[in-house]
Amino acid sequence: MVILKTEDLVKKFGNFTALDKVNLEVKSGEIYGFIGPNGAGKTTTIRILLGILKATSGKASIFGMDSWKDAVEIHKRVAYVPGEVNLWSNLTGGEVIDLFTSLRGKNSKTRRDELIEMFGLDPSKKCRTYSKGNRQKVALVAAFASDADLYILDEPTSGLDPLMEKVFQKCIMDAKREGKSVLLSSHILSEVEKLCDKVGIIRQGKIIESGSLKELRHLTRTDIYVETRQELTGLESLDGVLGVSKKDEGYLVQIESESIGNVMESLAKFEIVLLESTPITLEELFMRHNEG
Amino acid sequence: MLIHNANRLVQFILRRDRVRLFIWLVSVIGLTLVFSVFFGEMFPTQEERDIMAETLKNPAMVAMIGPLYGETYTQDVMFAHEMLLFYITAVAIMNILFVARHTRKDEELGRLEVVMSQPVGRLANLYSTFVVATGINITIALVTGVGLFALNPQTMGLDGSLVYGFSLGMAGLCYAAVTALFAQIFETNLGTLGFSFAFLILSYLVRAAGDLSGEVLSFLSPMGIAFRTYPYYKNNWLIIVLLVFVSLLFGVVALYLNSVRDHGAGLVAAKPGRTHATRFLQSPLGLVMRISRTFTIAWLVGIFVLGASYGSVLGDLESFFETNEMFKLMLPQNADYSMTERFIAFIQVILAMMGLVPVLQLVLKIRGEERRGRNEHVLASAVSRKRYLSCYVFSAIILAVVIQIAATLGLWSTGSAVMESPLAIGRMFVHGLVFMPSSLLMIGIAVFFIGWLPKASSFAWAYLGYCFFTEYMGDLLKLPKWLKKLTPYGYTPKLPVEDFEPLNLVIITAIALVLIAFGFAGFSKRDLEG
Ligand SMILES: Nc1ncnc2c1ncn2[C@@H]1O[C@H](COP(=O)(O)OP(=O)(O)O)[C@@H](O)[C@H]1O
Ligand SMILES: [Mg+2]
């Protein structure tokens, strides 16, 4: 079942085209990674989906209802965490969490307290004393304590430390287990790779790639740095090796993700001393996209 | 050394605040000087001043501006007596804001930490804040003193003028020192400001109590002490030495406390807030009321006090207006009614317009919330745009009624106390509530802009300013009549002096409702900023 869908979504701000025929589709139970660099149009798309902005043309719908006309009906089943979480400086975190969950409708008190504990948030502090990360935690606790069918999260981890990112990932996995759907935007590819079933990549208002991670495998590659006891030879001619260059004591090798197994087998023969792999970044992926 | 590099910090503070301080200094000093010149023209003869003096003997007036002094109420004494407390309050506000900004606010925002990590002494920041505050207050003292003498050489002596200037400046320094002390005690900027302003209000009230009951209590208040220099009469410099001494005392204690506490901490820790929201807060209307609570209450109290202070002069009005042609011009003209009745009618319009300030602030808050990206939280939940906007409009309408009642109550309470025949409260409420259609119209204008031209919504303020100007000054300045007819107040009867015009009120209400409806339609259709 399709939970969220945009069809040829266009948004213009004056002369500037922020979104140019964006097509997205999130199915029930899916975790969808919405990836793109800053200014690509992620927040704009999300705001149209929530009926905060009106599309110039095209269609946006959630649960089969129109994002603009049926906003309130849709919102009853959606939990949203904005990218920039601004709160009221003289309310406490606990008060804001209760306010948000009650405005949304269904929520669970025990889940709320459990989440506050997990995120290590002090709910008795006024929001003015919170850092960006803590404000994000307030919004995340309020979102996950609500009994929603769809979670829309706009770069939710940009202020969180790695430990809290783990907690966040656990929350997403819990939601998935309960059959909820998630739209998760990010400008860091590796961050969503672990969580998402599908990704859509947006740049300058256009979706340039979308599909399951497996389908996008052709775009990804792995960079490894390897030092071996024996001299490395003949690597260039191996299938799936895109490039080799000398660096320090060892070599930098670029491998197509599909062929990583074969290449590793060959490398092992040279007696590996040190092996480091670095995941591909969004920038590298764009470069690949331009090449291909 | 504890104050190492303080001179650099002094320069830094001056650099950061040069515009701010310049505006404050020019306004405070400039207004004093300009006013001193006009004062002479407003009450040119001794006879007029004596009548004024009679009015000011009334206890309500003593509580407000301090006791009458001097053998004859000459022009210079009159100026100092009527202006000093008022200007001390303004200078105190300036000092409180200045000191809090450079101490606890910088500390809370983490700006001070950057400075403290440089090679500067532990007390250098507080010390240099004092140095600059002292400099500002001495500037006010000298320029005001010399300026008053220079502009009014015939009426105001140099000695008296300097005493007036230094009473003003050294009282200001006291409030700066007290704020510095509170900044050491409280952990937050809000706490520091809250207690400093509470101290200012309290010192005003304690002085009022002291002035009415013999002098002892007045000496517990910096402005009570400052008043006792009696400029142009006793010119008591010893009192100014006392003010300097008090400031030093508070300053030294503040420096000591600063040296023994941790950076970022206070002597009183901020107490933890609620961990859960009350039932009340868990709805959009609750949210709107909660975030408007502080300024709403402050304005309700303020408007009551304003009403009460107008009421306190009702007792001696007849003779005052009989002799003063200029003020008489301001009142609605109708010889069938007494001066007092005409004055009350005039004051009720003024209070109605003043009361609109928090009302407009409340409606326009939805726009401020939008700009700060906080509407998103509410509108992305199960709350429609119309419902959320209606929460603001509803609260504003309620506030408009309540604040009108508070103003009327204030006017009635002191008015009844000083008049021989008490005022009829019921009739006064009706006379005040006649302005409700106009209030609704102002709300309608704000809502219309929120819906269609959000970026220009401060037009509502400009229009209120225009209404105020035409009603308050229009007749005095003999402006063309049609200028007044561009506002709803031009069509609202000032009861009981003017005739009741129900049709006008119906039309104003209808226009207001149309504007509100349009505004709602616009707000439901446009893009939101966040
Ligand atoms: N209200 C607006 N008016 C004009 N331009 C806007 C507005 N909102 C966003 N934009 C522009 O649209 C583009 C997409 O922005 P956004 O959706 O916030 O990107 P992202 O969330 O992917 O970082 C940016 O170039 C941004 O400057
Ligand atoms: Mg964004």
Side-chain angles (χ1 to χ4, degrees):
Chain A
M1 197 179 78
V2 176
I3 292 283
L4 177 156
K5 194 173 164 88
T6 70
E7 288 164 78
D8 290 337
L9 200 60
V10 174
K11 178 68 187 174
K12 292 193 172 149
F13 293 112
N15 288 331
F16 175 74
T17 306
L19 298 181
D20 188 6
K21 301 203 170 151
V22 168
N23 291 292
L24 286 183
E25 189 176 290
V26 180
K27 296 212 175 71
S28 180
E30 246 174 28
I31 301 183
Y32 193 96
F34 189 30
I35 309 169
N38 292 327
K42 304 181 292 294
T43 302
T44 305
T45 310
I46 289 174
R47 285 189 168 160
I48 292 175
L49 280 163
L50 288 167
I52 293 170
L53 299 179
K54 191 169 190 177
T56 310
S57 68
K59 270 185 70 178
S61 61
I62 295 181
F63 309 129
M65 294 181 276
D66 185 84
S67 279
W68 180 258
K69 286 196 219 108
D70 306 316
V72 174
E73 269 319 298
I74 291 173
H75 295 168
K76 287 181 183 162
R77 295 163 59 194
V78 173
Y80 167 54
V81 175
E84 197 51 54
V85 181
N86 296 302
L87 302 174
W88 298 271
S89 54
N90 55 354
L91 299 189
T92 65
E95 287 179 314
V96 171
I97 291 170
D98 287 351
L99 171 70
F100 286 0
T101 49
S102 56
L103 290 181
R104 228 167 254 141
K106 288 178 287 180
N107 61 73
S108 149
K109 277 271 172 282
T110 47
R111 181 79 179 132
R112 167 204 193 265
D113 295 338
E114 198 178 289
L115 284 161
I116 288 179
E117 179 80 33
M118 272 162 65
F119 277 106
L121 186 74
D122 180 352
S124 71
K125 284 238 161 71
K126 300 271 182 188
C127 291
R128 106 172 65 83
T129 65
Y130 285 146
S131 63
K132 175 174 174 18
N134 277 335
R135 292 201 303 271
Q136 234 157 10
K137 286 181 196 172
V138 169
L140 284 168
V141 170
F144 288 121
S146 307
D147 185 19
D149 295 325
L150 170 67
Y151 294 85
I152 297 184
L153 314 170
D154 193 0
E155 307 207 19
T157 56
S158 54
L160 300 185
D161 59 49
L163 212 65
M164 286 304 134
E165 232 174 287
K166 279 263 164 8
V167 176
F168 167 75
Q169 283 163 7
K170 185 176 172 302
C171 290
I172 296 281
M173 295 323 287
D174 287 349
K176 185 181 169 67
R177 211 168 306 118
E178 290 169 30
K180 313 284 172 77
S181 321
V182 181
L183 177 69
L184 174 60
S185 97
S186 175
H187 66 275
I188 303 165
L189 184 61
S190 60
E191 185 182 275
V192 291
E193 233 174 357
K194 289 168 235 141
L195 290 170
C196 296
D197 308 307
K198 274 196 185 163
V199 296
I201 299 176
I202 185 169
R203 187 166 63 155
Q204 291 169 3
K206 287 196 177 76
I207 298 282
I208 55 171
E209 290 287 345
S210 67
S212 71
L213 279 173
K214 214 184 232 145
E215 285 161 8
L216 294 186
R217 210 43 99 189
H218 71 281
L219 283 174
T220 64
R221 65 176 186 206
T222 307
D223 285 1
I224 62 165
Y225 172 75
V226 61
E227 285 178 20
T228 50
R229 195 152 290 143
Q230 298 173 26
E231 187 63 20
L232 263 183
T233 50
L235 215 54
E236 289 89 340
S237 57
L238 274 178
D239 252 4
V241 173
L242 301 164
V244 183
S245 58
K246 179 102 181 122
K247 189 192 168 201
D248 303 333
E249 302 294 296
Y251 289 88
L252 226 42
V253 188
Q254 294 166 353
I255 310 162
E256 270 179 9
S257 296
E258 293 116 9
S259 328
I260 200 151
N262 298 334
V263 178
M264 282 301 147
E265 229 164 80
S266 314
L267 275 176
K269 293 182 196 128
F270 299 95
E271 294 180 54
I272 300 172
V273 181
L274 179 71
L275 184 78
E276 286 166 358
S277 84
T278 45
I280 184 170
T281 63
L282 199 56
E283 296 72 49
E284 288 167 323
L285 192 137
F286 286 142
M287 261 146 66
R288 287 277 289 159
H289 179 83
N290 288 346
E291 285 161 20
Chain B
M1 229 184 46
L2 286 172
I3 55 166
H4 184 69
N5 261 338
N7 56 340
R8 298 296 304 278
L9 288 183
V10 167
Q11 286 169 15
F12 181 57
I13 292 173
L14 287 175
R15 176 75 182 69
R16 263 178 73 191
D17 274 9
R18 59 193 168 161
V19 176
R20 207 180 281 260
L21 289 178
F22 182 76
I23 293 174
W24 267 108
L25 288 180
V26 168
S27 332
V28 170
I29 300 173
L31 279 177
T32 307
L33 296 183
V34 169
F35 221 74
S36 75
V37 175
F38 283 108
F39 226 72
E41 291 170 16
M42 275 196 287
F43 300 93
T45 66
Q46 187 59 43
E47 200 188 340
E48 276 170 305
R49 287 196 291 270
D50 286 340
I51 292 166
M52 188 72 181
E54 278 308 307
T55 313
L56 300 182
K57 273 183 190 151
N58 154 357
M61 293 310 294
V62 173
M64 212 157 77
I65 66 171
L68 207 64
Y69 66 85
E71 270 128 40
T72 42
Y73 205 48
T74 49
Q75 198 169 308
D76 46 0
V77 170
M78 178 177 182
F79 176 77
H81 169 227
E82 288 178 23
M83 291 293 123
L84 186 58
L85 287 180
F86 175 69
Y87 277 100
I88 286 180
T89 309
V91 171
I93 292 172
M94 178 194 83
N95 275 284
I96 290 172
L97 292 176
F98 171 79
V99 172
R101 179 173 140 80
H102 287 281
T103 54
R104 187 51 80 174
K105 187 173 183 195
D106 270 2
E107 193 163 331
E108 186 175 275
L109 293 178
R111 294 197 288 231
L112 191 55
E113 200 168 341
V114 184
V115 174
M116 295 311 280
S117 66
Q118 306 293 322
V120 298
R122 279 181 66 79
L123 298 181
N125 184 65
L126 184 56
Y127 176 79
S128 40
T129 306
F130 271 134
V131 171
V132 177
T134 310
I136 302 168
N137 288 306
I138 289 183
T139 309
I140 291 179
L142 282 175
V143 179
T144 308
V146 173
L148 282 177
F149 169 67
L151 287 173
N152 311 280
Q154 260 97 52
T155 47
M156 301 181 132
L158 181 60
D159 195 26
S161 298
L162 283 176
V163 168
Y164 178 87
F166 274 90
S167 306
L168 194 60
M170 294 307 108
L173 192 61
C174 277
Y175 288 98
V178 169
T179 309
L181 184 63
F182 283 138
Q184 309 313 310
I185 297 177
F186 299 104
E187 223 173 60
T188 61
N189 184 42
L190 210 68
T192 306
L193 283 178
F195 274 84
S196 303
F197 280 113
F199 177 80
L200 175 61
I201 294 170
L202 202 69
S203 68
Y204 183 84
L205 296 177
V206 166
R207 174 216 51 85
D211 288 353
L212 288 175
S213 65
E215 300 204 317
V216 189
L217 274 176
S218 303
F219 274 93
L220 292 178
S221 151
M223 61 174 94
I225 299 176
F227 190 86
R228 302 227 146 32
T229 53
Y230 298 121
Y232 303 107
Y233 175 53
K234 285 193 178 151
N235 292 339
N236 194 343
W237 283 95
L238 223 59
I239 291 286
I240 288 169
V241 176
L242 178 63
L243 284 173
V244 173
F245 179 76
V246 172
S247 312
L248 268 179
L249 189 72
F250 280 119
V252 169
V253 175
L255 283 166
Y256 170 74
L257 292 179
N258 195 15
S259 71
V260 296
R261 70 175 177 90
D262 285 341
H263 183 86
L267 296 182
V268 181
K271 69 173 196 305
R274 291 175 190 277
T275 56
H276 288 80
T278 56
R279 273 240 67 79
F280 173 72
L281 180 56
Q282 299 188 22
S283 69
L285 185 62
L287 174 69
V288 172
M289 291 191 167
R290 172 65 191 274
I291 58 181
S292 323
R293 190 174 65 183
T294 316
F295 74 81
T296 307
I297 293 174
W299 269 95
L300 278 174
V301 173
I303 213 89
F304 179 87
V305 171
L306 189 68
S309 58
Y310 278 125
S312 66
V313 302
L314 290 179
D316 315 279
L317 271 178
E318 298 292 333
S319 54
F320 176 71
F321 275 105
E322 282 317 324
T323 55
N324 202 310
E325 286 304 317
M326 194 174 92
F327 284 119
K328 221 177 190 169
L329 272 181
M330 296 172 85
L331 306 183
Q333 306 299 320
N334 188 338
D336 293 347
Y337 290 90
S338 70
M339 275 297 159
T340 311
E341 282 166 313
R342 285 157 65 186
F343 183 71
I344 293 176
F346 172 69
I347 289 311
Q348 287 204 307
V349 198
I350 300 302
L351 289 174
M353 286 185 291
M354 295 288 280
L356 272 177
V357 173
V359 172
L360 277 188
Q361 206 175 338
L362 211 166
V363 193
L364 291 172
K365 202 168 178 61
I366 194 172
R367 174 66 192 144
E369 292 284 297
E370 178 179 355
R371 260 186 297 133
R372 292 184 182 84
R374 293 194 291 237
N375 278 354
E376 210 171 13
H377 299 296
V378 180
L379 295 175
S381 69
V383 177
S384 71
R385 294 180 181 206
K386 284 196 169 115
R387 178 160 168 227
Y388 194 43
L389 181 56
S390 67
C391 291
Y392 283 89
V393 174
F394 175 74
S395 313
I397 293 174
I398 299 286
L399 178 61
V401 175
V402 173
I403 206 159
Q404 187 64 50
I405 290 174
T408 310
L409 270 180
L411 187 61
W412 172 80
S413 60
T414 50
S416 295
V418 297
M419 280 171 69
E420 276 135 36
S421 54
L423 297 160
I425 177 98
R427 202 152 344 123
M428 282 178 73
F429 277 139
V430 174
H431 298 170
L433 292 174
V434 161
F435 295 105
M436 284 305 104
S438 303
S439 302
L440 194 65
L441 183 73
M442 300 305 276
I443 293 173
I445 290 173
V447 174
F448 178 83
F449 274 92
I450 289 165
W452 293 96
L453 292 162
K455 292 211 169 70
S457 46
S458 47
F459 173 83
W461 288 119
Y463 188 58
L464 179 61
Y466 177 81
C467 294
F468 195 83
F469 179 73
T470 50
E471 283 299 317
Y472 200 72
M473 307 287 281
D475 294 339
L476 194 65
L477 300 176
K478 303 202 172 68
L479 296 178
K481 285 272 175 271
W482 61 268
L483 286 178
K484 260 190 159 180
K485 291 288 175 193
L486 296 178
T487 78
Y489 297 96
Y491 299 90
T492 306
K494 280 95 200 167
L495 295 175
V497 182
E498 295 173 1
D499 293 333
F500 186 54
E501 306 263 12
L503 185 62
N504 284 3
L505 299 186
V506 172
I507 293 173
I508 295 172
T509 308
I511 297 174
L513 292 177
V514 169
L515 283 172
I516 290 177
F518 264 111
F520 268 82
F523 189 68
S524 309
K525 269 172 62 174
R526 71 174 171 87
D527 280 355
L528 296 180
E529 273 175 40

